[in-house]
Amino acid sequence: MSNQLPFGFGREPSDSGGDDLSNQMPLLAELQKLFSWSGGPVNWDLAKQMAVSGLSGANPGYSPAERTAIIEAIRLADLWLDEVTDLPSGVQSIESWTRLDWLERTLPVWKKLCDPVAERVVAAMSSALPGQPDESGEQAPSASEVAGLGGLSGLGGLGALGGMAGNLPIAGIMNQIGGVMFGAQVGQGLSGLAREVVGATDIGVPLGPDGVAALVPANVVAFGEGLGRPGEEVLLYLALREAAHQRLFTHVPWLRQRLLASVESYSRGISVDLSAIERAMSEVDPSNPESVQQALSGGLFEPEQTPEQHAALRRLETLLALVEGWVDAVVAAAAGERMPGADALREASRRRRASGGPAEQ
């Protein structure tokens, strides 16, 4: 069996051979930290830890020359865009980001996007659990009175967490479990995104601070690989897209809020099929940590979409398509005959979106 434990924690050698459980299972100390999170429906400390861990050895820096090139490219892009749109520049400052910089600078918006969905999923899971207060107001059982949280009993490890949980109601335990669960999934997703996105607005949503136009040099280089175009041309094309997004989100102020509201509307209709969770958890081998991690990362807690959610998702996709359509049109007009490889770069950008990946998901 591998020594790798769920959520990226590895086994450590014990200094003593006694019966102290903490010596035999150092993971419990880490679990206690995870389950003490009280900052919201997503354990963002864990999410950030996992994302940073996923970028270990994959966070190249950039040179002063690269930073200067990005500043000049975005300034030139703004001049070109002035000729093709009435919206004035939305760029207040220009930054170069490493992949870790992107993670740090975009976390506040990710919290706004992910917390409503996670909160609704956890609430749905808690309400579906047996033993919740009924119409007579009977108190729900505490964590120490519940043997493994219904269908989660197959994990076995929850019994060891009883001392940590004390007399916390079962709904409170579900909040802690949900925070860990979503923190792990979000962290993995952000790690993948950080390797792909080229700027602050690349996924069609303004992720960075207001008015900050930013590009990720390492990912700009990766975007241009295999296209047969000069690096300066690739950089300028992506600078055009970044500057165009900044204009749109700065001078159409309702757009940002409408995008976030669409996510919240989607989350309000979430429900969870607890029986499916129970069936999946019954297949988890508690002696095999990898099976636990596989269950958590395999869509175990993904809710089924309702008709209302399909409608909300279509609205969100429509908004993103409108944003992308406007940006694509003004960038094509601005590049015009100035950029010989504009059509090839435009097609590469379209293929990148169509092929999926972390950003599209």
Side-chain angles (χ1 to χ4, degrees), residues 271-331:
S271 61
V272 175
D273 182 359
L274 192 63
S275 62
I277 296 176
E278 292 176 348
R279 288 194 299 271
M281 295 309 297
S282 67
E283 299 175 0
V284 171
D285 179 4
S287 65
N288 182 2
E290 285 79 7
S291 72
V292 179
Q293 187 170 14
Q294 183 178 3
L296 291 174
S297 62
L300 171 62
F301 296 99
E302 290 182 1
E304 295 183 0
Q305 287 189 356
T306 64
E308 293 77 13
Q309 286 177 293
H310 279 294
L313 188 58
R314 284 196 298 270
R315 289 194 296 271
L316 177 60
E317 291 173 340
T318 299
L319 279 174
L320 291 173
L322 289 172
V323 169
E324 176 57 35
W326 185 87
V327 168
D328 185 67
V330 298
V331 167

Side-chain angles (χ1 to χ4, degrees), residues 49-82:
Q49 177 184 341
M50 292 199 65
V52 170
S53 176
L55 291 173
S56 177
N59 185 49
Y62 53 85
S63 67
E66 287 177 308
R67 169 164 172 73
T68 299
I70 286 175
I71 293 173
E72 293 176 349
I74 291 181
R75 287 176 176 171
L76 179 58
D78 253 344
L79 290 175
W80 287 7
L81 290 170
D82 283 339

Side-chain angles (χ1 to χ4, degrees), residues 42-53 103 107 179-180 182-188 190-191:
V42 177
N43 187 325
W44 287 102
D45 287 347
L46 173 61
K48 184 176 178 180
Q49 177 184 341
M50 292 199 65
V52 170
S53 176
L103 177 66
L107 268 180
V180 172
F182 282 105
Q185 293 183 342
V186 170
Q188 290 173 345
L190 292 181
S191 176

